[in-house]
Amino acid sequence: MNIEIDRQKFLTYIKIFLPIYWIPKLGNWWHEKYMSRLVYRMDDDCIVREHGVFFFSKKNVPFQGIREASVYRGPILQLFGGSVVRVHTAGQNQGYAEISFICPSDPEALVQEITKRTTEAKRRA
């Protein structure tokens, strides 16, 4: 009888402590994979965002469709010295950004570059 109770306690400890041990490790693995596969780039005619761990996603936003590029700094981003550049396109809800860039340094230069390329693309069209 004591052996069964001890076995049950052992299984209970395994059920409690195994997830506590593995969940941070899996979260760290997922974060490293996600950040290593997260790519933002500006091609000649569009902005490209690629991301994903289990499912890969690629999104192209043409410069001709961009209506606004803005900088957002929330309190936590300010605490860590970061900011987010949001790109809005035509025909979308203004509360939702088409693409958001996490930008640790000089977001205004990125916004200016996006604006410059947007006006050039609209001039060519």
Side-chain angles (χ1 to χ4, degrees), residues 50-66:
E50 300 172 354
H51 64 96
V53 175
F54 299 114
F55 300 100
F56 184 75
S57 175
K58 181 177 180 180
K59 188 170 203 173
N60 296 332
V61 177
F63 285 116
Q64 291 177 343
I66 293 174

Side-chain angles (χ1 to χ4, degrees), residues 16-121:
I16 292 171
F17 292 112
L18 198 60
I20 291 173
Y21 177 76
W22 281 107
I23 287 176
K25 290 192 177 294
L26 289 174
N28 190 27
W29 172 84
W30 182 86
H31 178 70
E32 287 176 11
K33 290 292 184 188
Y34 184 83
M35 294 309 284
S36 69
R37 295 178 182 172
L38 179 64
V39 175
Y40 293 107
R41 71 174 181 272
M42 286 194 278
D43 291 342
D44 292 334
D45 59 343
C46 65
I47 298 175
V48 180
R49 178 184 185 204
E50 300 172 354
H51 64 96
V53 175
F54 299 114
F55 300 100
F56 184 75
S57 175
K58 181 177 180 180
K59 188 170 203 173
N60 296 332
V61 177
F63 285 116
Q64 291 177 343
I66 293 174
R67 296 291 175 235
E68 177 189 12
S70 59
V71 178
Y72 172 76
R73 290 185 184 101
I76 295 176
L77 287 169
Q78 288 179 6
L79 180 67
F80 292 105
S83 57
V84 174
V85 174
R86 293 180 176 168
V87 176
H88 298 276
T89 60
Q92 72 171 32
N93 183 0
Q94 289 301 316
Y96 172 74
E98 187 75 26
I99 291 184
S100 296
F101 296 94
I102 298 172
C103 189
S105 63
D106 204 13
E108 285 81 14
L110 181 60
V111 169
Q112 287 176 356
E113 181 66 24
I114 291 170
T115 305
K116 183 179 100 177
R117 289 190 184 200
T118 301
T119 55
E120 289 173 2

Side-chain angles (χ1 to χ4, degrees), residues 1-15:
M1 184 87 173
N2 285 339
I3 294 173
E4 285 297 318
I5 293 172
D6 290 338
R7 183 175 178 213
Q8 286 292 32
K9 284 183 182 179
F10 176 74
L11 290 176
T12 301
Y13 289 137
I14 293 291
K15 289 177 188 175

